Structures are given as structure tokens and as C-alpha cells.
Amino acid sequence: MPETYFVVPETAHNALVQAAYQHRGYHADEAAEGARFCAEASRHGIRTHNGIKALHLDHLFGSGSKGCVPGAQIEEKPSKFKAAKIWNANRKLGQSTAYRAMEEAIRLADEFGVGTVSVDNAFHYLWGGGYVMDAARRGYIAYTNCTAALAEVVPFGGKFPTLGTNPHSWGFPTTDAVGYPIVIDWATSVVAMGRVQQLAREGKSLPPDAAVDENGAPTTDPKKAKYLVPFGAHKGYGLSLINEIVAGFIGGSLPTLRNRWDKAEGDKGTCCFFFQVMHPEAINGGAFAKGRNQSENVKAVIADVLGHGNERCMLPGQLEAGWAKHTAAAGGLLFTKAELDAFDELAAECGTAVWDRISFATYAV
């Protein structure tokens, strides 16, 4: 059954989100980047990482705690490798840091074919898919991973949460081949905590075997969900562990201390990011079958995957591209009534007028 959404002008959305960030002490450029990111998440239907989630995360672990410092400046650390940058984010807003890191990785890829940016002392950047999608639209192969804000995932076979939801995000420049970038973006838990919060707002249930309550018993009630479990048992556990180990090489400390400042005294409680961008020509072997060029070859590979009776299968990134079309057709960002109520709370917090929802059009998806 179609669900009806309110259509919020993007300018109104960005003004409120930016005002909320600035009310919390963020500089105008950071607040604008935070608002830009939240709009992109909403544009592509990523409701688990929209402005509500971003500002809630900031309240819990960012400017409302010790995880983020408004106005912080990124410090570049020495590196003996020209294509590899190392940054100390000094707890700068995660979206601002991530936008800058991806731009730098793209610049390095233009010069060296590949570029990496490793970031220590970071604050969570939310939806990794947004950054790699933007790079892929511009013709690059991009990857990022991060350590999540909290250790709230129980490792396979364990009983205590020692891992983050630890997402991986890949973006591929496939617009010519399929009409949009293929974006493979996933938390390594069955669901992200943002999804739990969204379902709680909407009064909906979790899928089975996605979360446990405070006693470790499986639950589908998002209001009782205390900890998450990895997807794919040992496979999701291994993928989540990658992020923790990469962060360990960068400078991240114990996962169970992350953003738990009462326990991190004298230690580190910040996140780590890793970005990598490849220029497609840097991996071009040149020996494509039947005289195809690189672009034609990628298109042929995708067509083969979706052939043989698989024509109705979806590609990663297809849902996001489809939602972006709905957003464009509606002429604004799409939110539920429960989400508008949450935005009203943000407006009250920063002393701005609540949205006149009566003036908003509606759109069914």
C-alpha cells in the first residue's frame, strides 16, 4: 500500500538543519555541510541517516558530549607516501571532515591514479554511501569505511557488544551503463541503529534475529532493542572486524571506549575513517574481450549478471536512484508526519518557526 509523505522544500529543510547546527555552536560552513549531507540522505530515501538522526547523534555523542568540537580544524600529519594522506580531524563535524577527505582523495587519484585519506580523532560521518555516490557520479571508483559511534554489536558467538555497526561503502561510475552509480553500502549489523530508531518512531517491528534486549534475548520490538547482531553470522562479524583493525592501524583505540567518555579517561574515544578513490584508468588492463573498451566492458558484465532470467533483480543503488526520482517529481524532500514532529522539536530547540505543514503538498510512494 502506498505511503503518503509531506513534501518539504529543500531550502526550508536546509535552513532548519543549518540553524540547528549553528545553535549548537557550529560555524556556518560546517552547518551548511551538515545540512547539505542531510538533504542528500533524504533525497535518496536514506531515512535512517537524515537530519533527525544526524542531530540526534550530535546531541548524544557530538557537541552535546565530548565527541565533536564545533569549529575544529583538520591537521595534516606527515606521510612519506605522496598518494596517502593522514589527518587528525580534531573531532571536527563528521560530514565536513568526510566531504573534505573525499575531495582530497579525488585530487590524489587525479594525480597518482589512486589516493587514500586516513582520518584519526573523527566524529561519525553518518551515511557513507553519500560520499562514494558523489565520487562515482563524477567518474571515480570510491570506497570508505569507518568505526561507528558506539560498540553496540555483539560478535558472532559472543554475548557482549564490542563492535560498531561499522559500515562499508563502495561507489562505481556506472551511470552510462545503468543510469545511476552502483552504490554498495551496508552496515555490518543486520540493521543499523538508525533503522531501529526509525521503526520505533513509525511504530513498526524489527526483522527477526536483528537485535537483542538488555538480557540478550532476541526481540523484534525496536523500543526494547538494546544491542544488535552481525548480518550473515561469522561473515558480517569478519567485515565489522575489518573496520576495527583498520582503525587500530590508524590510531583508534578500544571499541568499547568509543564515545563512552566516563570510561575513556586517559585513553581515546574517537572514531576513525578510511577513504580510497581510484581513477578507472588506473586499473585499466586494456585487454577487453571482443574489442570492447572499459566502459562497454563494465556494461556487458552488468548485463550478464542481470541476464539469464535475472532481469528482475535489483542493483545496489537502484532503490536510492528510484527515490531520488520521486524526490524530483515531488519537488521537495519527503518526510512522514512522525518525522515532521521530530523536526518541530528541532525548531523549538533553536528558536526558529516550525514548518507550516498545512502549506506542504503530499506525495504518495
Side-chain angles (χ1 to χ4, degrees), residues 31-79:
E33 287 165 328
R36 168 192 164 194
F37 175 86
C38 294
E40 285 301 303
S42 296
R43 186 187 330 282
H44 292 92
I46 310 299
R47 297 168 62 200
T48 58
H49 289 79
N50 61 18
I52 300 166
K53 170 68 175 181
L55 288 159
H56 179 64
L57 192 76
D58 177 68
H59 172 71
L60 291 178
F61 307 118
S63 64
S65 180
K66 298 181 180 180
C68 203
V69 178
Q73 298 300 307
I74 295 168
E75 174 190 3
E76 183 169 326
K77 306 293 286 185
S79 172

mmCIF file of all heavy atoms in Angstrom, residues 31-79:
data_model
loop_
_atom_site.group_PDB
_atom_site.id
_atom_site.type_symbol
_atom_site.label_atom_id
_atom_site.label_comp_id
_atom_site.label_asym_id
_atom_site.label_seq_id
_atom_site.Cartn_x
_atom_site.Cartn_y
_atom_site.Cartn_z
ATOM 1 N N ALA A 31 27.886 23.959 9.417
ATOM 2 C CA ALA A 31 26.439 23.800 9.481
ATOM 3 C C ALA A 31 25.848 23.609 8.093
ATOM 4 O O ALA A 31 24.936 22.796 7.889
ATOM 5 C CB ALA A 31 25.811 25.011 10.167
ATOM 6 N N ALA A 32 26.375 24.364 7.115
ATOM 7 C CA ALA A 32 25.889 24.224 5.737
ATOM 8 C C ALA A 32 26.224 22.848 5.180
ATOM 9 O O ALA A 32 25.414 22.235 4.471
ATOM 10 C CB ALA A 32 26.490 25.315 4.858
ATOM 11 N N GLU A 33 27.423 22.337 5.489
ATOM 12 C CA GLU A 33 27.797 20.998 5.009
ATOM 13 C C GLU A 33 26.962 19.926 5.699
ATOM 14 O O GLU A 33 26.569 18.937 5.067
ATOM 15 C CB GLU A 33 29.293 20.774 5.246
ATOM 16 C CG GLU A 33 30.156 21.572 4.279
ATOM 17 C CD GLU A 33 31.608 21.654 4.706
ATOM 18 O OE1 GLU A 33 31.892 21.663 5.924
ATOM 19 O OE2 GLU A 33 32.473 21.720 3.810
ATOM 20 N N GLY A 34 26.684 20.126 6.977
ATOM 21 C CA GLY A 34 25.812 19.189 7.665
ATOM 22 C C GLY A 34 24.428 19.159 7.050
ATOM 23 O O GLY A 34 23.843 18.089 6.841
ATOM 24 N N ALA A 35 23.883 20.333 6.736
ATOM 25 C CA ALA A 35 22.561 20.416 6.119
ATOM 26 C C ALA A 35 22.571 19.812 4.715
ATOM 27 O O ALA A 35 21.635 19.098 4.324
ATOM 28 C CB ALA A 35 22.100 21.865 6.067
ATOM 29 N N ARG A 36 23.625 20.094 3.954
ATOM 30 C CA ARG A 36 23.751 19.531 2.598
ATOM 31 C C ARG A 36 23.731 18.009 2.637
ATOM 32 O O ARG A 36 23.025 17.366 1.847
ATOM 33 C CB ARG A 36 25.045 20.029 1.969
ATOM 34 C CG ARG A 36 25.449 19.308 0.683
ATOM 35 C CD ARG A 36 26.883 19.660 0.295
ATOM 36 N NE ARG A 36 27.434 18.731 -0.680
ATOM 37 C CZ ARG A 36 28.724 18.647 -0.981
ATOM 38 N NH1 ARG A 36 29.607 19.436 -0.375
ATOM 39 N NH2 ARG A 36 29.153 17.772 -1.861
ATOM 40 N N PHE A 37 24.483 17.440 3.576
ATOM 41 C CA PHE A 37 24.536 15.994 3.683
ATOM 42 C C PHE A 37 23.164 15.416 4.041
ATOM 43 O O PHE A 37 22.713 14.423 3.457
ATOM 44 C CB PHE A 37 25.558 15.566 4.738
ATOM 45 C CG PHE A 37 25.571 14.091 4.980
ATOM 46 C CD1 PHE A 37 26.335 13.256 4.186
ATOM 47 C CD2 PHE A 37 24.776 13.526 5.961
ATOM 48 C CE1 PHE A 37 26.317 11.885 4.375
ATOM 49 C CE2 PHE A 37 24.752 12.162 6.157
ATOM 50 C CZ PHE A 37 25.531 11.336 5.369
ATOM 51 N N CYS A 38 22.487 16.043 4.999
ATOM 52 C CA CYS A 38 21.179 15.542 5.424
ATOM 53 C C CYS A 38 20.171 15.611 4.285
ATOM 54 O O CYS A 38 19.312 14.727 4.145
ATOM 55 C CB CYS A 38 20.690 16.339 6.626
ATOM 56 S SG CYS A 38 21.692 16.093 8.110
ATOM 57 N N ALA A 39 20.252 16.651 3.468
ATOM 58 C CA ALA A 39 19.369 16.751 2.305
ATOM 59 C C ALA A 39 19.651 15.629 1.317
ATOM 60 O O ALA A 39 18.716 15.032 0.748
ATOM 61 C CB ALA A 39 19.534 18.110 1.637
ATOM 62 N N GLU A 40 20.933 15.313 1.096
ATOM 63 C CA GLU A 40 21.280 14.232 0.170
ATOM 64 C C GLU A 40 20.759 12.893 0.669
ATOM 65 O O GLU A 40 20.264 12.072 -0.107
ATOM 66 C CB GLU A 40 22.797 14.169 -0.030
ATOM 67 C CG GLU A 40 23.345 15.267 -0.916
ATOM 68 C CD GLU A 40 22.727 15.230 -2.307
ATOM 69 O OE1 GLU A 40 22.816 14.191 -2.977
ATOM 70 O OE2 GLU A 40 22.136 16.252 -2.710
ATOM 71 N N ALA A 41 20.871 12.650 1.969
ATOM 72 C CA ALA A 41 20.339 11.409 2.529
ATOM 73 C C ALA A 41 18.830 11.336 2.315
ATOM 74 O O ALA A 41 18.299 10.300 1.874
ATOM 75 C CB ALA A 41 20.680 11.314 4.016
ATOM 76 N N SER A 42 18.135 12.416 2.600
ATOM 77 C CA SER A 42 16.678 12.423 2.408
ATOM 78 C C SER A 42 16.309 12.302 0.943
ATOM 79 O O SER A 42 15.342 11.617 0.585
ATOM 80 C CB SER A 42 16.082 13.710 2.989
ATOM 81 O OG SER A 42 16.269 13.756 4.384
ATOM 82 N N ARG A 43 17.071 12.948 0.065
ATOM 83 C CA ARG A 43 16.789 12.890 -1.369
ATOM 84 C C ARG A 43 16.811 11.448 -1.880
ATOM 85 O O ARG A 43 16.053 11.071 -2.764
ATOM 86 C CB ARG A 43 17.821 13.711 -2.131
ATOM 87 C CG ARG A 43 17.546 13.844 -3.631
ATOM 88 C CD ARG A 43 18.670 14.515 -4.399
ATOM 89 N NE ARG A 43 19.424 15.488 -3.634
ATOM 90 C CZ ARG A 43 18.993 16.715 -3.375
ATOM 91 N NH1 ARG A 43 17.813 17.109 -3.806
ATOM 92 N NH2 ARG A 43 19.749 17.550 -2.666
ATOM 93 N N HIS A 44 17.675 10.649 -1.300
ATOM 94 C CA HIS A 44 17.844 9.271 -1.773
ATOM 95 C C HIS A 44 17.129 8.248 -0.897
ATOM 96 O O HIS A 44 17.373 7.051 -1.016
ATOM 97 C CB HIS A 44 19.331 8.949 -1.877
ATOM 98 C CG HIS A 44 20.019 9.722 -2.958
ATOM 99 N ND1 HIS A 44 20.641 10.933 -2.733
ATOM 100 C CD2 HIS A 44 20.158 9.462 -4.288
ATOM 101 C CE1 HIS A 44 21.125 11.386 -3.873
ATOM 102 N NE2 HIS A 44 20.855 10.528 -4.824
ATOM 103 N N GLY A 45 16.253 8.730 -0.012
ATOM 104 C CA GLY A 45 15.439 7.807 0.776
ATOM 105 C C GLY A 45 16.162 7.175 1.942
ATOM 106 O O GLY A 45 15.691 6.181 2.498
ATOM 107 N N ILE A 46 17.292 7.732 2.355
ATOM 108 C CA ILE A 46 18.047 7.182 3.475
ATOM 109 C C ILE A 46 17.503 7.821 4.749
ATOM 110 O O ILE A 46 18.110 8.725 5.350
ATOM 111 C CB ILE A 46 19.562 7.431 3.316
ATOM 112 C CG1 ILE A 46 20.033 6.994 1.931
ATOM 113 C CG2 ILE A 46 20.345 6.695 4.397
ATOM 114 C CD1 ILE A 46 19.824 5.518 1.640
ATOM 115 N N ARG A 47 16.374 7.360 5.168
ATOM 116 C CA ARG A 47 15.674 7.976 6.297
ATOM 117 C C ARG A 47 16.333 7.654 7.631
ATOM 118 O O ARG A 47 16.068 8.309 8.635
ATOM 119 C CB ARG A 47 14.210 7.531 6.285
ATOM 120 C CG ARG A 47 13.475 8.001 5.028
ATOM 121 C CD ARG A 47 12.138 7.327 4.873
ATOM 122 N NE ARG A 47 11.257 7.637 5.962
ATOM 123 C CZ ARG A 47 10.187 6.901 6.281
ATOM 124 N NH1 ARG A 47 9.921 5.801 5.598
ATOM 125 N NH2 ARG A 47 9.426 7.250 7.301
ATOM 126 N N THR A 48 17.193 6.635 7.640
ATOM 127 C CA THR A 48 17.902 6.288 8.869
ATOM 128 C C THR A 48 19.058 7.228 9.155
ATOM 129 O O THR A 48 19.636 7.188 10.248
ATOM 130 C CB THR A 48 18.453 4.854 8.772
ATOM 131 O OG1 THR A 48 19.315 4.765 7.621
ATOM 132 C CG2 THR A 48 17.328 3.847 8.622
ATOM 133 N N HIS A 49 19.430 8.066 8.197
ATOM 134 C CA HIS A 49 20.567 8.964 8.391
ATOM 135 C C HIS A 49 20.234 10.378 7.922
ATOM 136 O O HIS A 49 21.089 11.087 7.399
ATOM 137 C CB HIS A 49 21.798 8.432 7.646
ATOM 138 C CG HIS A 49 22.380 7.205 8.265
ATOM 139 N ND1 HIS A 49 21.844 5.962 8.071
ATOM 140 C CD2 HIS A 49 23.438 7.038 9.097
ATOM 141 C CE1 HIS A 49 22.559 5.072 8.747
ATOM 142 N NE2 HIS A 49 23.513 5.691 9.377
ATOM 143 N N ASN A 50 18.977 10.771 8.099
ATOM 144 C CA ASN A 50 18.577 12.115 7.675
ATOM 145 C C ASN A 50 18.903 13.133 8.781
ATOM 146 O O ASN A 50 19.638 12.839 9.723
ATOM 147 C CB ASN A 50 17.097 12.135 7.277
ATOM 148 C CG ASN A 50 16.166 11.750 8.420
ATOM 149 O OD1 ASN A 50 16.548 11.770 9.592
ATOM 150 N ND2 ASN A 50 14.937 11.395 8.089
ATOM 151 N N GLY A 51 18.346 14.329 8.663
ATOM 152 C CA GLY A 51 18.661 15.380 9.609
ATOM 153 C C GLY A 51 18.281 15.040 11.039
ATOM 154 O O GLY A 51 18.950 15.476 11.997
ATOM 155 N N ILE A 52 17.211 14.272 11.210
ATOM 156 C CA ILE A 52 16.795 13.884 12.563
ATOM 157 C C ILE A 52 17.874 13.036 13.214
ATOM 158 O O ILE A 52 18.292 13.276 14.350
ATOM 159 C CB ILE A 52 15.462 13.110 12.499
ATOM 160 C CG1 ILE A 52 14.369 13.978 11.884
ATOM 161 C CG2 ILE A 52 15.047 12.635 13.885
ATOM 162 C CD1 ILE A 52 13.136 13.205 11.469
ATOM 163 N N LYS A 53 18.345 12.026 12.481
ATOM 164 C CA LYS A 53 19.385 11.148 13.006
ATOM 165 C C LYS A 53 20.681 11.921 13.238
ATOM 166 O O LYS A 53 21.351 11.750 14.262
ATOM 167 C CB LYS A 53 19.629 9.999 12.033
ATOM 168 C CG LYS A 53 20.849 9.143 12.331
ATOM 169 C CD LYS A 53 20.694 8.346 13.606
ATOM 170 C CE LYS A 53 21.886 7.413 13.804
ATOM 171 N NZ LYS A 53 21.744 6.603 15.029
ATOM 172 N N ALA A 54 21.048 12.772 12.269
ATOM 173 C CA ALA A 54 22.315 13.499 12.372
ATOM 174 C C ALA A 54 22.352 14.356 13.623
ATOM 175 O O ALA A 54 23.349 14.363 14.370
ATOM 176 C CB ALA A 54 22.518 14.355 11.124
ATOM 177 N N LEU A 55 21.283 15.082 13.880
ATOM 178 C CA LEU A 55 21.274 15.985 15.029
ATOM 179 C C LEU A 55 21.064 15.224 16.335
ATOM 180 O O LEU A 55 21.546 15.653 17.391
ATOM 181 C CB LEU A 55 20.217 17.058 14.823
ATOM 182 C CG LEU A 55 20.639 18.078 13.753
ATOM 183 C CD1 LEU A 55 19.434 18.814 13.174
ATOM 184 C CD2 LEU A 55 21.655 19.073 14.317
ATOM 185 N N HIS A 56 20.377 14.089 16.277
ATOM 186 C CA HIS A 56 20.251 13.241 17.460
ATOM 187 C C HIS A 56 21.614 12.672 17.838
ATOM 188 O O HIS A 56 21.997 12.660 19.020
ATOM 189 C CB HIS A 56 19.254 12.118 17.182
ATOM 190 C CG HIS A 56 19.061 11.165 18.331
ATOM 191 N ND1 HIS A 56 18.534 11.552 19.533
ATOM 192 C CD2 HIS A 56 19.351 9.833 18.449
ATOM 193 C CE1 HIS A 56 18.480 10.514 20.361
ATOM 194 N NE2 HIS A 56 18.982 9.467 19.726
ATOM 195 N N LEU A 57 22.368 12.228 16.834
ATOM 196 C CA LEU A 57 23.708 11.709 17.074
ATOM 197 C C LEU A 57 24.608 12.799 17.649
ATOM 198 O O LEU A 57 25.401 12.554 18.566
ATOM 199 C CB LEU A 57 24.299 11.164 15.770
ATOM 200 C CG LEU A 57 25.581 10.339 15.888
ATOM 201 C CD1 LEU A 57 25.282 8.951 16.416
ATOM 202 C CD2 LEU A 57 26.259 10.209 14.520
ATOM 203 N N ASP A 58 24.462 14.011 17.116
ATOM 204 C CA ASP A 58 25.262 15.124 17.624
ATOM 205 C C ASP A 58 24.914 15.425 19.079
ATOM 206 O O ASP A 58 25.797 15.726 19.891
ATOM 207 C CB ASP A 58 25.035 16.367 16.766
ATOM 208 C CG ASP A 58 25.796 17.563 17.288
ATOM 209 O OD1 ASP A 58 27.033 17.541 17.217
ATOM 210 O OD2 ASP A 58 25.149 18.503 17.799
ATOM 211 N N HIS A 59 23.650 15.337 19.408
ATOM 212 C CA HIS A 59 23.224 15.591 20.790
ATOM 213 C C HIS A 59 23.813 14.558 21.745
ATOM 214 O O HIS A 59 24.318 14.902 22.822
ATOM 215 C CB HIS A 59 21.700 15.581 20.882
ATOM 216 C CG HIS A 59 21.176 15.649 22.282
ATOM 217 N ND1 HIS A 59 21.257 16.790 23.053
ATOM 218 C CD2 HIS A 59 20.583 14.699 23.070
ATOM 219 C CE1 HIS A 59 20.732 16.550 24.249
ATOM 220 N NE2 HIS A 59 20.330 15.301 24.281
ATOM 221 N N LEU A 60 23.768 13.285 21.334
ATOM 222 C CA LEU A 60 24.214 12.213 22.218
ATOM 223 C C LEU A 60 25.735 12.147 22.334
ATOM 224 O O LEU A 60 26.275 11.974 23.432
ATOM 225 C CB LEU A 60 23.697 10.868 21.710
ATOM 226 C CG LEU A 60 22.193 10.613 21.813
ATOM 227 C CD1 LEU A 60 21.859 9.250 21.224
ATOM 228 C CD2 LEU A 60 21.728 10.694 23.263
ATOM 229 N N PHE A 61 26.418 12.280 21.186
ATOM 230 C CA PHE A 61 27.845 11.981 21.166
ATOM 231 C C PHE A 61 28.723 13.102 20.618
ATOM 232 O O PHE A 61 29.937 13.016 20.684
ATOM 233 C CB PHE A 61 28.100 10.715 20.322
ATOM 234 C CG PHE A 61 27.271 9.542 20.738
ATOM 235 C CD1 PHE A 61 26.363 8.973 19.860
ATOM 236 C CD2 PHE A 61 27.385 9.011 22.007
ATOM 237 C CE1 PHE A 61 25.591 7.884 20.240
ATOM 238 C CE2 PHE A 61 26.621 7.928 22.404
ATOM 239 C CZ PHE A 61 25.713 7.362 21.518
ATOM 240 N N GLY A 62 28.105 14.137 20.034
ATOM 241 C CA GLY A 62 28.873 15.186 19.389
ATOM 242 C C GLY A 62 29.036 16.407 20.262
ATOM 243 O O GLY A 62 29.670 16.367 21.315
ATOM 244 N N SER A 63 28.444 17.529 19.827
ATOM 245 C CA SER A 63 28.589 18.775 20.582
ATOM 246 C C SER A 63 27.919 18.685 21.947
ATOM 247 O O SER A 63 28.274 19.431 22.863
ATOM 248 C CB SER A 63 27.992 19.937 19.784
ATOM 249 O OG SER A 63 26.595 19.762 19.598
ATOM 250 N N GLY A 64 26.959 17.754 22.089
ATOM 251 C CA GLY A 64 26.309 17.560 23.377
ATOM 252 C C GLY A 64 27.109 16.689 24.315
ATOM 253 O O GLY A 64 26.705 16.468 25.464
ATOM 254 N N SER A 65 28.233 16.183 23.861
ATOM 255 C CA SER A 65 29.088 15.323 24.677
ATOM 256 C C SER A 65 30.524 15.784 24.495
ATOM 257 O O SER A 65 30.817 16.976 24.555
ATOM 258 C CB SER A 65 28.896 13.857 24.265
ATOM 259 O OG SER A 65 29.694 13.002 25.030
ATOM 260 N N LYS A 66 31.426 14.838 24.222
ATOM 261 C CA LYS A 66 32.827 15.178 24.005
ATOM 262 C C LYS A 66 33.340 14.693 22.658
ATOM 263 O O LYS A 66 34.535 14.790 22.377
ATOM 264 C CB LYS A 66 33.694 14.575 25.119
ATOM 265 C CG LYS A 66 33.377 15.095 26.510
ATOM 266 C CD LYS A 66 34.303 14.464 27.541
ATOM 267 C CE LYS A 66 34.008 14.953 28.949
ATOM 268 N NZ LYS A 66 34.909 14.329 29.953
ATOM 269 N N GLY A 67 32.433 14.185 21.824
ATOM 270 C CA GLY A 67 32.882 13.555 20.589
ATOM 271 C C GLY A 67 33.127 14.510 19.446
ATOM 272 O O GLY A 67 33.763 14.141 18.459
ATOM 273 N N CYS A 68 32.623 15.736 19.544
ATOM 274 C CA CYS A 68 32.730 16.677 18.435
ATOM 275 C C CYS A 68 32.996 18.076 18.978
ATOM 276 O O CYS A 68 32.450 18.460 20.011
ATOM 277 C CB CYS A 68 31.429 16.660 17.622
ATOM 278 S SG CYS A 68 31.605 17.234 15.939
ATOM 279 N N VAL A 69 33.843 18.811 18.260
ATOM 280 C CA VAL A 69 34.200 20.163 18.676
ATOM 281 C C VAL A 69 33.830 21.131 17.552
ATOM 282 O O VAL A 69 34.487 21.159 16.510
ATOM 283 C CB VAL A 69 35.711 20.266 18.979
ATOM 284 C CG1 VAL A 69 36.071 21.701 19.356
ATOM 285 C CG2 VAL A 69 36.108 19.297 20.076
ATOM 286 N N PRO A 70 32.766 21.905 17.709
ATOM 287 C CA PRO A 70 32.410 22.877 16.675
ATOM 288 C C PRO A 70 33.578 23.800 16.355
ATOM 289 O O PRO A 70 34.266 24.299 17.257
ATOM 290 C CB PRO A 70 31.251 23.645 17.310
ATOM 291 C CG PRO A 70 30.620 22.662 18.247
ATOM 292 C CD PRO A 70 31.783 21.894 18.813
ATOM 293 N N GLY A 71 33.810 23.999 15.065
ATOM 294 C CA GLY A 71 34.880 24.877 14.626
ATOM 295 C C GLY A 71 36.259 24.258 14.617
ATOM 296 O O GLY A 71 37.243 24.939 14.307
ATOM 297 N N ALA A 72 36.366 22.977 14.920
ATOM 298 C CA ALA A 72 37.677 22.320 14.938
ATOM 299 C C ALA A 72 38.310 22.343 13.548
ATOM 300 O O ALA A 72 37.608 22.332 12.531
ATOM 301 C CB ALA A 72 37.539 20.882 15.418
ATOM 302 N N GLN A 73 39.627 22.359 13.501
ATOM 303 C CA GLN A 73 40.363 22.396 12.243
ATOM 304 C C GLN A 73 41.122 21.082 12.036
ATOM 305 O O GLN A 73 41.682 20.524 12.974
ATOM 306 C CB GLN A 73 41.346 23.563 12.233
ATOM 307 C CG GLN A 73 40.673 24.922 12.337
ATOM 308 C CD GLN A 73 39.713 25.195 11.195
ATOM 309 O OE1 GLN A 73 40.082 25.087 10.028
ATOM 310 N NE2 GLN A 73 38.476 25.552 11.536
ATOM 311 N N ILE A 74 41.134 20.618 10.812
ATOM 312 C CA ILE A 74 41.823 19.374 10.466
ATOM 313 C C ILE A 74 43.322 19.635 10.392
ATOM 314 O O ILE A 74 43.769 20.627 9.814
ATOM 315 C CB ILE A 74 41.305 18.835 9.112
ATOM 316 C CG1 ILE A 74 39.828 18.437 9.239
ATOM 317 C CG2 ILE A 74 42.147 17.647 8.651
ATOM 318 C CD1 ILE A 74 39.152 18.161 7.910
ATOM 319 N N GLU A 75 44.073 18.720 10.968
ATOM 320 C CA GLU A 75 45.538 18.799 10.953
ATOM 321 C C GLU A 75 46.088 17.686 10.070
ATOM 322 O O GLU A 75 45.769 16.509 10.274
ATOM 323 C CB GLU A 75 46.064 18.634 12.381
ATOM 324 C CG GLU A 75 47.559 18.547 12.507
ATOM 325 C CD GLU A 75 48.002 18.145 13.904
ATOM 326 O OE1 GLU A 75 47.123 17.872 14.769
ATOM 327 O OE2 GLU A 75 49.223 18.082 14.128
ATOM 328 N N GLU A 76 46.899 18.050 9.070
ATOM 329 C CA GLU A 76 47.517 17.029 8.223
ATOM 330 C C GLU A 76 48.815 16.553 8.865
ATOM 331 O O GLU A 76 49.680 17.355 9.213
ATOM 332 C CB GLU A 76 47.799 17.571 6.822
ATOM 333 C CG GLU A 76 48.368 16.510 5.882
ATOM 334 C CD GLU A 76 48.416 16.954 4.424
ATOM 335 O OE1 GLU A 76 47.511 17.707 4.014
ATOM 336 O OE2 GLU A 76 49.349 16.531 3.725
ATOM 337 N N LYS A 77 48.947 15.246 9.014
ATOM 338 C CA LYS A 77 50.114 14.653 9.646
ATOM 339 C C LYS A 77 51.141 14.259 8.582
ATOM 340 O O LYS A 77 50.802 14.066 7.417
ATOM 341 C CB LYS A 77 49.709 13.417 10.455
ATOM 342 C CG LYS A 77 48.598 13.665 11.461
ATOM 343 C CD LYS A 77 49.034 14.579 12.581
ATOM 344 C CE LYS A 77 49.957 13.899 13.549
ATOM 345 N NZ LYS A 77 50.296 14.747 14.717
ATOM 346 N N PRO A 78 52.395 14.135 8.951
ATOM 347 C CA PRO A 78 53.421 13.753 7.970
ATOM 348 C C PRO A 78 53.153 12.376 7.372
ATOM 349 O O PRO A 78 52.712 11.461 8.065
ATOM 350 C CB PRO A 78 54.713 13.741 8.804
ATOM 351 C CG PRO A 78 54.420 14.588 9.987
ATOM 352 C CD PRO A 78 52.969 14.403 10.287
ATOM 353 N N SER A 79 53.415 12.238 6.078
ATOM 354 C CA SER A 79 53.300 10.949 5.388
ATOM 355 C C SER A 79 54.412 10.870 4.356
ATOM 356 O O SER A 79 54.633 11.813 3.601
ATOM 357 C CB SER A 79 51.933 10.820 4.698
ATOM 358 O OG SER A 79 51.884 9.659 3.889
#
